[in-house]
Amino acid sequence: MKNLMKTTLLLAFLCGTGLVYGQQNSNDDRNQNGNRSSEDQRERYNNQRDFRQDRMQDERDDRQMQERRENQRRDDIFEQRRNYNMRDNNSRAYDNRYESRMDAGDRYKNTYDERDLSKAYDQGYDDGLNSAEKEQRQERRDNYQNFAFGIYGGANVTRFAGEDTQGNALSGRLGYQLGLFFRGGGRVYGQIGAEYLTSSSDISTVSSTTALPSSSTAISYNSITSNVNQQYIHVPVYIGFKLVESDRGVSAVRFQIGAELAAPLKIVNDLNTSAPNAIKQSNLASTTFNGLASLGFDAGPLFLSAVYHYGFQDILKEPVDGIVNSQRRILSVNVGLKF
């Protein structure tokens, strides 16, 4: 009986101990599972954070890489142009002529290296520039106004080389001219025209009894032979140069030199009753030559010019008492239109 009691108590003790131990293990397992879940959440959060940071870093790296590639591309372009200019400035632009490496007996030797491609590129670039410049020059030539026709009119002042411009002498007289011209050429051009010129000149002699003493070279009013209205036809010929011009040559600053043939049309004398003689039509030379110098300004179809006529010959073929050096000096100003 005692043994049975001992055995029962021992079994009860073992069962209680097992239950307590099992309960403790169950609690430990629950605590471990809870701790593991919190750690998993923290790990997932850390992983997500690391992923976002890695992705942002990758995007920054991609942007930096693109910027480096763009900078490298620009640097390569600049380096190509520097190399081209360097080769172009050398006395021997290329010392690697591929013809020297050609070998008809071995097709594998008929190869070209990077220098040959560079040469071909540079030559193509030069050919393109030359072609563009050639087209531009051709377009300017096509649009350039090489020929022009013009009409003009203006005023002039005439005197004679033998007149004294000091003291009581009379100098300039007013007149007018009308003309037309034909001009052909580019920046250097030629011009020919025709001009009608008239001027009123007081022709003087010093042999009159009312003139100044013979020792004097001045011309007095009483020594005037007549008031002569000259009417001349001029044929001027010029060679001109455009100092400054527009693309089409329509507007320009011009300088011209040349010569003209002058022929008298009519002489009208208003006699001075105090003078003994008068110039007649028969006294005039049939033709004379004048030198010309002109400065002109073209503004589209309008132009303005100043011309100086320098007489190389006397207009009188027969002497008139007291008149010497009857070469004309004329300054004229013209305004006109050209087409």
Side-chain angles (χ1 to χ4, degrees), residues 4 45 65 70 75 89 129 135 140 155 185 227 249 266 270:
L4 181 61
Y45 172 78
M65 179 63 70
E70 183 64 20
D75 292 339
N89 292 330
L129 288 180
E135 291 179 358
R140 285 195 295 267
N227 182 279
K266 186 178 180 181
D270 294 329

Side-chain angles (χ1 to χ4, degrees), residues 150-156 176-181 183 195 254 294-299 301-307 332-339:
I151 56 176
Y152 62 88
N156 67 73
Y176 69 90
Q177 67 277 344
L178 301 172
L180 54 86
F181 66 84
R183 181 186 301 163
E195 179 181 84
R254 299 175 288 102
S294 173
L295 182 64
F297 304 89
D298 294 346
L302 300 176
F303 70 88
L304 172 68
S305 64
V307 184
S332 61
V333 178
N334 301 307
V335 178
L337 292 171
K338 59 185 177 68
F339 310 93

Side-chain angles (χ1 to χ4, degrees), residues 7 15 19 32 97 107 116 128 132 147 171 175 177 185 211 215 235 271:
T7 302
C15 289
L19 290 174
Q32 290 178 358
R97 294 186 60 81
R107 64 186 180 91
D116 300 321
F147 301 97
S171 54
Q177 67 277 344
S215 61
V235 181
L271 297 180

Side-chain angles (χ1 to χ4, degrees), residues 80 82-90 93-94 118 122:
Q80 289 176 1
R82 282 194 294 268
N83 292 338
Y84 168 77
N85 293 331
M86 184 184 304
R87 290 194 300 271
D88 189 59
N89 292 330
N90 291 335
Y94 302 96
S118 177
D122 293 342

Side-chain angles (χ1 to χ4, degrees), residues 137-153:
R137 289 194 299 268
Q138 183 63 39
E139 184 178 1
R140 285 195 295 267
R141 285 194 295 267
D142 293 341
N143 295 331
Y144 194 88
Q145 186 177 15
N146 293 290
F147 301 97
F149 171 77
I151 56 176
Y152 62 88

